[in-house]
Amino acid sequence: TCILTSTYVRALETARIIGQCVGVTPTPLYHLVEVGWPTRLIGKSLFGLSALLFLCRSVVFRNDPHSRYEDAENFSDIFRRIQTSFRYIESLTEAHDSIVVVSHSEYIRLMVLYMCHDERLSLRELLSVLLSVNSLKNGEIVHVEYVGPTPTGTCPWILHT
């Protein structure tokens, strides 16, 4: 078993508790941190005018890798970070029977969305993630299985529901 975790305190604490139960020390990875909002919006209401403007602009320019809202991540940044996470997880599959990832709900929902998807998101796909605020509860488990490598054009990941 291998435990990978976001470097943020609440994820590290959760990963350490899981690690103590199974006798494994978690590995913190920056790639698993929360989606990067503009610094001035951190801790502010998701329903405030500034946050809504940020979200609207992010959705409209979701497929433009050069579009940037202040110091926030854009969806191209997030996609690259998620792909890096998947490549790292895939590199561990031969050495470990189970890989536990402790991260944040929005990032995990985007990981699942991007699992077998290219970088360009449809409006419907993106809104399904953005409008499901708090749909993944703290401590909730998403079970994903890596079955790869697979032939070109097929997905090496299976989402178990």
Side-chain angles (χ1 to χ4, degrees):
T1 299
C2 174
I3 302 173
L4 307 175
T5 181
S6 162
T7 57
Y8 287 11
V9 172
R10 66 183 180 276
L12 278 166
E13 289 171 347
T14 300
R16 286 183 184 125
I17 292 168
I18 295 167
Q20 287 172 349
C21 293
V22 296
V24 174
T25 301
T27 302
L29 295 174
Y30 173 76
H31 294 297
L32 299 175
V33 300
E34 284 184 291
V35 172
W37 278 62
T39 302
R40 70 181 182 87
L41 296 180
I42 294 174
K44 302 279 192 304
S45 169
L46 292 175
F47 304 105
L49 182 59
S50 295
L52 292 174
L53 286 172
F54 163 66
L55 288 172
C56 288
R57 190 176 189 290
S58 296
V59 168
V60 168
F61 296 105
R62 69 191 175 281
N63 294 320
D64 179 356
H66 304 293
S67 176
R68 187 94 30 218
Y69 186 91
E70 298 175 10
D71 60 342
E73 280 185 298
N74 63 28
F75 283 100
S76 291
D77 298 333
I78 297 165
F79 176 76
R80 281 191 304 278
R81 195 155 56 90
I82 287 171
Q83 292 306 316
T84 299
S85 297
F86 277 126
R87 281 192 303 275
Y88 185 69
I89 292 166
E90 289 170 10
S91 77
L92 298 173
T93 58
E94 287 192 30
H96 301 281
D97 290 337
S98 298
I99 300 169
V100 176
V101 175
V102 180
S103 189
H104 311 276
S105 64
E106 188 176 10
Y107 186 76
I108 290 172
R109 287 194 319 269
L110 285 167
M111 280 185 83
V112 169
L113 179 63
Y114 277 129
M115 236 175 6
C116 297
H117 199 287
D118 64 9
E119 185 173 357
R120 298 181 65 81
L121 294 174
S122 72
L123 183 59
R124 185 179 74 66
E125 291 167 325
L126 184 57
L127 288 176
S128 74
V129 171
L130 295 177
L131 295 176
S132 60
V133 174
N134 295 328
S135 66
L136 188 59
K137 305 297 180 211
N138 287 341
E140 190 170 340
I141 296 171
V142 176
H143 181 194
V144 177
E145 181 181 0
Y146 178 71
V147 296
T150 58
T152 303
T154 60
C155 182
W157 296 92
I158 298 171
L159 175 62
H160 296 280
T161 53

